[in-house]
Amino acid sequence: VPMPQHMKIDVDGSELSFLRGAKKTVENPQLRTVIFELFKGQCFDDIVGHFDSVGLKYRHEHEVEPGLVNVTFGRDA
């Protein structure tokens, strides 16, 4: 399976477990963008910090419903 360039992640409360399991994929520079559905406050800062540490910078967020957002991360070109 080729390395993805873009991912949409919605794991309903298993965000940190997902990141541990997807470590090689998330760290791979071929992955250009990630949209991650998150509840504000629930590990939000930890997840933003994790993506930042692997080169995927916070770009923006879109509220899906109160307290639930889709956060976009991307690598600099």
Side-chain angles (χ1 to χ4, degrees), residues 2-9 24-36 51-52 54-60 71-77:
M3 179 62 61
Q5 293 181 358
H6 312 283
M7 292 176 70
K8 166 62 166 95
I9 303 163
K24 288 182 181 178
T25 301
V26 171
E27 292 178 355
N28 191 303
Q30 291 179 341
L31 180 64
R32 304 301 305 157
T33 59
V34 173
I35 299 173
F36 211 125
F51 278 114
D52 186 62
V54 298
L56 286 158
K57 306 300 181 192
Y58 173 94
R59 297 292 187 229
H60 65 274
V71 182
T72 302
F73 300 92
R75 292 192 197 283
D76 293 333

Side-chain angles (χ1 to χ4, degrees), residues 11-39:
V11 290
D12 297 328
S14 299
E15 288 82 3
L16 294 176
S17 295
F18 171 84
L19 289 175
R20 283 190 292 275
K23 181 176 174 33
K24 288 182 181 178
T25 301
V26 171
E27 292 178 355
N28 191 303
Q30 291 179 341
L31 180 64
R32 304 301 305 157
T33 59
V34 173
I35 299 173
F36 211 125
E37 185 175 277
L38 299 169
F39 285 100

